Amino acid sequence: RAGLTAMALFLLALAGCDRKAPALATPEVARPALIQEVGAADAAAKPRFPGRLRAAKRAELSFNVPGFVTEFALTEGSRVRAGQVVARLDDAVFKARVNAAQSEFDRAKTDLERYQRLWETEFAVARSEVDDRRSRLEAARTNLAAAQQDLSDTLIRAPFAGVVTRRRLNTGDLVQPSGAKGEGLFTISRLDPVRIVVAVPEADAAALRAVDPEIPDVPGLDHAQVKAWTRDYLASVHSIDRNVG
């Protein structure tokens, strides 16, 4: 019996060793609170609005006649001169049309001169025949002018000096006339000067005319010139893009 008692005491001691000590509670660390004193608004503070740069002048260019593109080597970022040929179509068919229209015009002109002379000197033809030849000449003149215009439209010239900012055209493409509302094949933008367009709530628009605008530095642009442009821009309410906030 003494042995059993000793064994029981030994097992109880082992069970006590397996129990984990209770974890100590982590003391809370006091975090400093951010405190800001709220006072009256600074009357001299300038309002800030997001804005974006926009080209002062932009042209969406496309062809007015169909054909295959034989020349277009510009990429986005390419600079162009005013009047520079920037794109060209295959003009063989259009040249043939001009030659045919020119020949028809020359024949009509010769016929009118002959009939006019016969009527004035010999009265060998009727006046109605002279008028008919005159009408044919005017029709031939109109056809010739249209053919010449189509030939001219196989070229696209830069309307002003600028930069190609978008392109959807490659050499070898078959293009169709875009029409009055068609999307241009490429875009030329004039970046001197540029406009800074600001979305201004209606309630703040009038107050901006009395504010000397604080303009951030714009890479590649003269800061003083940008500020002068912006001051002039804000001087006229109709020049501000106003969105009701």
Side-chain angles (χ1 to χ4, degrees):
R1 181 175 296 179
L4 292 174
T5 301
M7 181 62 69
L9 293 173
F10 178 72
L11 292 175
L12 289 173
L14 289 177
C17 292
D18 289 339
R19 295 179 181 175
K20 296 182 179 179
L24 297 177
T26 303
E28 293 186 3
V29 179
R31 293 183 174 87
L34 297 178
I35 300 175
Q36 183 174 0
E37 183 178 353
V38 178
D42 185 2
K46 296 180 180 179
R48 294 179 180 272
F49 302 99
R52 63 186 183 275
L53 295 177
R54 177 183 294 176
K57 195 173 185 179
R58 186 178 65 175
E60 298 275 349
L61 301 179
S62 59
F63 288 101
N64 293 325
V65 293
F68 287 95
V69 180
T70 59
E71 179 183 330
F72 185 75
L74 301 176
T75 59
E76 293 180 354
S78 298
R79 293 186 174 274
V80 296
R81 305 181 307 276
Q84 175 184 342
V85 175
V86 293
R88 186 190 304 267
L89 295 180
D90 184 358
D91 60 3
V93 173
F94 297 96
K95 286 182 177 179
R97 291 176 181 174
V98 169
N99 292 335
Q102 183 68 58
S103 298
E104 181 63 27
F105 175 79
D106 292 341
R107 284 195 298 270
K109 183 178 181 181
T110 300
D111 282 349
L112 175 60
E113 291 174 349
R114 182 165 61 88
Y115 273 74
Q116 184 78 26
R117 185 171 58 253
L118 289 173
W119 181 76
E120 291 177 350
T121 59
E122 303 176 15
F123 297 99
V125 296
R127 176 61 183 266
S128 60
E129 292 184 89
V130 176
D131 293 339
D132 178 66
R133 286 339 188 250
R134 182 174 288 107
S135 297
R136 293 184 184 184
L137 176 61
E138 293 305 316
R141 190 192 310 277
T142 300
N143 291 337
L144 176 58
Q148 291 173 334
Q149 182 61 54
D150 287 346
L151 178 59
S152 176
D153 287 341
T154 61
L155 301 178
I156 294 181
R157 298 180 182 273
F160 47 80
V163 177
V164 177
T165 54
R166 188 177 66 89
R167 56 168 289 178
R168 298 173 51 249
L169 184 67
N170 294 289
T171 300
D173 287 351
L174 174 62
V175 299
Q176 298 293 334
S178 63
K181 297 182 180 179
E183 186 177 22
L185 297 174
F186 59 99
T187 304
I188 293 178
S189 300
R190 182 178 178 181
L191 303 181
D192 180 18
V194 295
R195 285 184 174 180
I196 299 179
V197 182
V198 182
V200 181
E202 183 76 18
D204 298 328
L208 287 180
R209 285 177 294 179
V211 173
D212 184 19
E214 181 179 347
I215 306 302
D217 290 329
V218 180
L221 298 177
D222 180 71
H223 182 79
Q225 186 63 53
V226 172
K227 188 171 182 178
W229 289 333
T230 307
R231 186 180 295 108
D232 294 340
Y233 193 56
L234 295 177
S236 301
V237 174
H238 71 272
S239 298
I240 304 176
D241 284 0
R242 296 182 298 172
N243 299 325
V244 177

